Amino acid sequence: MTVRTLLPETSIPGIVGHPWSAKADKIQSVTGILLGCFLLAHLHFESSILLGKEAFYQVVQILEGGMFSETGHGFPVVTKVFSVFILIVVMLHAAVALRRFPAQLGQWRALRRHMNGINHKDSHAWFWQLVTGFILFFLAPVHVFTMITNPEIGPHLSAERVYHANAWLLYALLLPAVVIHAMIGLYRVAVKWGLTANRRGLRKIIKVLIIYLIVIGSLSLLSYMIIGSDLALPVQPFVPE
Ligand code: HEM
């Protein structure tokens, strides 16, 4: 016979988590899912440049509410306001994620010992999420701030930013870091909240998605570079024929 004894919470200090911890966990998952889905949409919209200048121009006009203006031209203020919203979500996500970060050398050593000791794929995935999260802490706000202060987007204006203003350097670092971070994040959320028991299958999907997103992102970056190198300064916005 099994005897279960219920102890009052106050008698086992340190074992019972703080209620805020569970809330922070939920906030981290919800903001993470939001940002992961945003990234999937973002990289597809942005790589419409691979279909030509006209395609990217039309995508930007639709996203900036061109249907509500008489000229059919979108409103860059929409990008500005949406970018502020994304910045708030990024900050919230980073704030709750920080409590997971190993803060002392001893904690890093324990993590390394743990990873060397048990060759568990999910522990390795978590380690890479930690490293890429650290990189994003510095790079993501730079990009989002640029979109708030200079929200002009288009085949020529984006190419100008990427090529003439050297944003390619930022994007070349940001792209692999954010794709790896976001895709491992979505995998971990799905496992954590019990959405799937087939971890191996999901890991395969995530790996394919990581390679696919890095390939379309890199090709788009190359397109902006080629377009930018053909543009004379001062750059004129693209006008469809
Ligand atoms: C609402 C806010 C955002 C807007 C309006 C936006 C817009 C854009 C645009 C228009 C580009 C193309 C290049 C350019 O015009 O400079 C770009 C590139 C990029 N963005 Fe964003 N972005 C936003 C937020 C983010 C966030 C939060 C991330 C991830 C942390 C991100 C990751 C990237 C990456 C990696 C690239 C380069 C893609 C490539 O290599 O092809 N963006 N973004």
Side-chain angles (χ1 to χ4, degrees), residues 35 38-39 42-43 46 56 79 82-84 86 90 136 140 143-144 147 152-154 157-159 161-162 167 171-172 174-176 178 216-221 224:
L35 291 169
F38 164 76
L39 185 77
H42 175 333
L43 288 181
E46 186 252 336
F56 182 59
T79 299
F82 188 67
S83 301
V84 172
I86 289 293
V90 168
L136 288 176
H143 173 48
V144 184
M147 288 302 154
E152 274 75 30
I153 301 173
L157 300 174
S158 292
R161 188 164 31 233
V162 171
Y171 294 145
L174 186 59
L175 178 69
V178 77
I216 62 165
S218 306
L219 291 177
S220 312
L221 207 51
Y224 290 116

Side-chain angles (χ1 to χ4, degrees), residues 30 63-64 86-87 114 147 155-156 178 182 194 196 199 207 218:
V30 170
L63 292 177
E64 290 188 340
I86 289 293
L87 183 65
H114 171 78
M147 288 302 154
H156 287 181
V178 77
T196 177
R199 291 190 189 200
K207 275 186 198 156
S218 306

Side-chain angles (χ1 to χ4, degrees), residues 140-155:
V142 179
H143 173 48
V144 184
F145 267 122
T146 310
M147 288 302 154
I148 294 170
T149 53
N150 186 12
E152 274 75 30
I153 301 173

